[in-house]
Short mmCIF file of all heavy atoms in Angstrom, two decimals:
data_model
loop_
_atom_site.label_atom_id
_atom_site.label_comp_id
_atom_site.label_asym_id
_atom_site.label_seq_id
_atom_site.Cartn_x
_atom_site.Cartn_y
_atom_site.Cartn_z
N SER A 3 137.62 194.54 93.11
CA SER A 3 137.83 193.83 91.84
C SER A 3 139.13 194.24 91.17
O SER A 3 139.83 193.40 90.61
CB SER A 3 136.66 194.08 90.89
OG SER A 3 135.49 193.52 91.43
N ILE A 10 145.76 188.87 89.61
CA ILE A 10 145.68 187.84 88.56
C ILE A 10 146.70 188.14 87.46
O ILE A 10 147.41 187.24 86.99
CB ILE A 10 144.25 187.77 87.99
CG1 ILE A 10 143.30 187.17 89.04
CG2 ILE A 10 144.21 186.95 86.70
CD1 ILE A 10 141.84 187.30 88.70
N LYS A 15 151.82 186.86 84.76
CA LYS A 15 153.18 187.22 84.33
C LYS A 15 154.19 186.23 84.91
O LYS A 15 155.09 185.76 84.22
CB LYS A 15 153.54 188.64 84.78
CG LYS A 15 152.87 189.73 83.96
CD LYS A 15 153.25 191.10 84.49
CE LYS A 15 152.44 192.19 83.79
NZ LYS A 15 152.67 193.51 84.37
N GLN A 17 153.61 183.26 85.87
CA GLN A 17 153.39 181.97 85.23
C GLN A 17 154.07 181.92 83.86
O GLN A 17 154.68 180.91 83.50
CB GLN A 17 151.89 181.75 85.10
CG GLN A 17 151.52 180.40 84.56
CD GLN A 17 150.02 180.26 84.48
OE1 GLN A 17 149.30 180.78 85.31
NE2 GLN A 17 149.56 179.55 83.47
N GLN A 30 167.36 172.32 77.29
CA GLN A 30 168.66 171.93 77.85
C GLN A 30 168.70 170.44 78.15
O GLN A 30 169.71 169.76 77.90
CB GLN A 30 168.93 172.75 79.12
CG GLN A 30 170.28 172.49 79.76
CD GLN A 30 170.48 173.29 81.03
OE1 GLN A 30 169.73 174.22 81.31
NE2 GLN A 30 171.47 172.92 81.80
N LYS A 32 167.20 168.00 76.69
CA LYS A 32 167.30 167.18 75.48
C LYS A 32 168.74 167.05 74.98
O LYS A 32 169.05 166.12 74.23
CB LYS A 32 166.40 167.77 74.39
CG LYS A 32 164.92 167.52 74.67
CD LYS A 32 164.04 168.13 73.61
CE LYS A 32 162.58 167.85 73.91
NZ LYS A 32 161.68 168.50 72.97
N VAL A 48 165.24 167.87 85.50
CA VAL A 48 163.88 167.38 85.73
C VAL A 48 163.42 167.76 87.14
O VAL A 48 162.27 168.18 87.33
CB VAL A 48 163.78 165.86 85.49
CG1 VAL A 48 162.43 165.33 85.93
CG2 VAL A 48 164.00 165.54 84.01
N ALA A 74 132.48 186.02 92.56
CA ALA A 74 131.51 186.22 93.64
C ALA A 74 131.12 187.70 93.74
O ALA A 74 129.93 188.03 93.89
CB ALA A 74 132.08 185.73 94.97
N LYS A 76 131.26 189.93 91.29
CA LYS A 76 130.47 190.26 90.10
C LYS A 76 129.05 189.69 90.22
O LYS A 76 128.09 190.33 89.81
CB LYS A 76 131.13 189.70 88.83
CG LYS A 76 132.37 190.45 88.40
CD LYS A 76 132.03 191.83 87.92
CE LYS A 76 133.30 192.62 87.65
NZ LYS A 76 133.01 194.04 87.47
N LEU A 80 125.73 191.81 90.09
CA LEU A 80 124.66 191.48 89.14
C LEU A 80 123.33 191.27 89.86
O LEU A 80 122.29 191.77 89.41
CB LEU A 80 125.03 190.23 88.34
CG LEU A 80 124.00 189.72 87.34
CD1 LEU A 80 123.71 190.77 86.28
CD2 LEU A 80 124.47 188.43 86.69
N GLU A 82 122.37 192.54 92.76
CA GLU A 82 121.87 193.83 93.24
C GLU A 82 121.26 194.63 92.09
O GLU A 82 120.17 195.22 92.24
CB GLU A 82 123.00 194.63 93.88
CG GLU A 82 123.44 194.10 95.23
CD GLU A 82 124.68 194.81 95.78
OE1 GLU A 82 125.00 195.91 95.28
OE2 GLU A 82 125.31 194.27 96.69
N GLN A 92 108.81 197.33 88.12
CA GLN A 92 107.54 197.16 88.83
C GLN A 92 106.88 198.51 89.10
O GLN A 92 105.68 198.69 88.89
CB GLN A 92 107.77 196.40 90.15
CG GLN A 92 106.49 196.04 90.90
CD GLN A 92 105.56 195.16 90.06
OE1 GLN A 92 105.99 194.28 89.34
NE2 GLN A 92 104.26 195.42 90.16
N ALA A 100 98.29 203.12 86.90
CA ALA A 100 97.61 204.29 87.50
C ALA A 100 97.17 205.27 86.42
O ALA A 100 96.08 205.84 86.49
CB ALA A 100 98.55 204.96 88.50
N GLY A 105 93.23 207.96 83.77
CA GLY A 105 93.17 208.69 82.51
C GLY A 105 94.34 209.65 82.43
O GLY A 105 94.68 210.30 83.41
N PHE A 119 94.27 232.05 86.27
CA PHE A 119 95.57 231.99 85.58
C PHE A 119 96.64 231.35 86.47
O PHE A 119 97.44 230.54 86.01
CB PHE A 119 96.00 233.41 85.15
CG PHE A 119 97.26 233.40 84.33
CD1 PHE A 119 97.26 232.86 83.05
CD2 PHE A 119 98.45 233.89 84.85
CE1 PHE A 119 98.43 232.83 82.30
CE2 PHE A 119 99.61 233.86 84.10
CZ PHE A 119 99.60 233.34 82.82
N LEU A 126 99.96 223.38 85.03
CA LEU A 126 100.98 223.13 83.99
C LEU A 126 102.30 222.72 84.62
O LEU A 126 102.99 221.81 84.14
CB LEU A 126 101.17 224.37 83.11
CG LEU A 126 100.06 224.66 82.12
CD1 LEU A 126 100.31 226.01 81.43
CD2 LEU A 126 99.93 223.56 81.10
N ALA A 135 109.44 213.46 86.06
CA ALA A 135 109.61 212.28 86.92
C ALA A 135 109.54 211.00 86.10
O ALA A 135 110.32 210.06 86.30
CB ALA A 135 108.57 212.28 88.03
N ILE A 143 115.76 203.27 84.53
CA ILE A 143 115.53 201.88 84.08
C ILE A 143 116.53 201.53 82.98
O ILE A 143 117.13 200.45 82.98
CB ILE A 143 114.08 201.70 83.58
CG1 ILE A 143 113.11 201.73 84.75
CG2 ILE A 143 113.93 200.40 82.79
CD1 ILE A 143 111.64 201.76 84.36
N GLU A 145 119.51 202.91 82.39
CA GLU A 145 120.87 202.84 82.93
C GLU A 145 121.09 201.55 83.72
O GLU A 145 122.13 200.90 83.57
CB GLU A 145 121.15 204.06 83.83
CG GLU A 145 121.32 205.35 83.05
CD GLU A 145 121.37 206.59 83.94
OE1 GLU A 145 121.34 206.44 85.18
OE2 GLU A 145 121.42 207.70 83.38
N VAL A 150 123.12 195.92 84.24
CA VAL A 150 122.85 194.47 84.34
C VAL A 150 123.50 193.74 83.17
O VAL A 150 124.19 192.73 83.34
CB VAL A 150 121.33 194.18 84.40
CG1 VAL A 150 121.04 192.70 84.18
CG2 VAL A 150 120.77 194.64 85.74
N VAL A 153 127.46 193.93 83.49
CA VAL A 153 127.98 193.07 84.57
C VAL A 153 127.82 191.60 84.19
O VAL A 153 128.70 190.78 84.46
CB VAL A 153 127.29 193.39 85.91
CG1 VAL A 153 127.70 192.39 86.98
CG2 VAL A 153 127.64 194.80 86.37
N ARG A 154 126.70 191.27 83.51
CA ARG A 154 126.50 189.89 83.07
C ARG A 154 127.60 189.47 82.09
O ARG A 154 128.16 188.38 82.19
CB ARG A 154 125.12 189.74 82.43
CG ARG A 154 124.77 188.30 82.11
CD ARG A 154 123.35 188.16 81.59
NE ARG A 154 122.40 188.32 82.67
CZ ARG A 154 121.38 189.17 82.66
NH1 ARG A 154 121.16 189.94 81.62
NH2 ARG A 154 120.55 189.24 83.67
N GLU A 155 127.95 190.37 81.16
CA GLU A 155 129.03 190.08 80.20
C GLU A 155 130.37 189.91 80.92
O GLU A 155 131.16 189.01 80.60
CB GLU A 155 129.13 191.20 79.17
CG GLU A 155 128.03 191.18 78.14
CD GLU A 155 128.09 192.36 77.18
OE1 GLU A 155 129.13 193.06 77.16
OE2 GLU A 155 127.11 192.59 76.46
N SER A 162 134.82 182.40 82.08
CA SER A 162 135.57 181.80 80.97
C SER A 162 137.06 181.79 81.29
O SER A 162 137.76 180.79 81.06
CB SER A 162 135.30 182.58 79.69
OG SER A 162 136.12 182.12 78.65
N LEU A 164 138.38 181.80 84.25
CA LEU A 164 138.57 180.82 85.32
C LEU A 164 138.67 179.42 84.74
O LEU A 164 139.56 178.64 85.12
CB LEU A 164 137.40 180.90 86.31
CG LEU A 164 137.35 179.81 87.40
CD1 LEU A 164 138.59 179.86 88.28
CD2 LEU A 164 136.10 179.95 88.24
N SER A 169 141.81 174.63 83.14
CA SER A 169 142.29 173.75 82.08
C SER A 169 143.82 173.70 82.07
O SER A 169 144.42 172.63 81.95
CB SER A 169 141.76 174.23 80.73
OG SER A 169 142.27 173.44 79.69
N SER A 174 149.09 171.20 83.55
CA SER A 174 150.33 171.27 84.35
C SER A 174 150.44 170.10 85.31
O SER A 174 151.53 169.56 85.53
CB SER A 174 150.38 172.60 85.14
OG SER A 174 150.54 173.68 84.26
N GLU A 180 154.13 163.34 84.62
CA GLU A 180 155.10 162.81 83.65
C GLU A 180 156.53 163.07 84.13
O GLU A 180 157.41 162.20 84.02
CB GLU A 180 154.89 163.44 82.28
CG GLU A 180 153.64 162.98 81.57
CD GLU A 180 153.41 163.75 80.27
OE1 GLU A 180 154.34 164.45 79.81
OE2 GLU A 180 152.30 163.66 79.73
N LEU A 188 165.06 158.35 85.53
CA LEU A 188 166.46 158.81 85.49
C LEU A 188 167.24 158.30 86.70
O LEU A 188 168.42 157.96 86.58
CB LEU A 188 166.51 160.34 85.42
CG LEU A 188 166.13 160.95 84.07
CD1 LEU A 188 165.91 162.45 84.20
CD2 LEU A 188 167.20 160.66 83.02
#
Side-chain angles (χ1 to χ4, degrees):
S3 295
I10 290 169
K15 285 179 188 174
Q17 185 179 326
Q30 183 182 346
K32 287 179 179 176
V48 171
K76 287 292 173 192
L80 178 61
E82 288 173 17
Q92 186 59 38
F119 185 69
L126 287 173
I143 289 172
E145 287 171 4
V150 167
V153 173
R154 187 175 286 128
E155 285 176 13
S162 173
L164 173 61
S169 177
S174 292
E180 288 174 13
L188 286 167

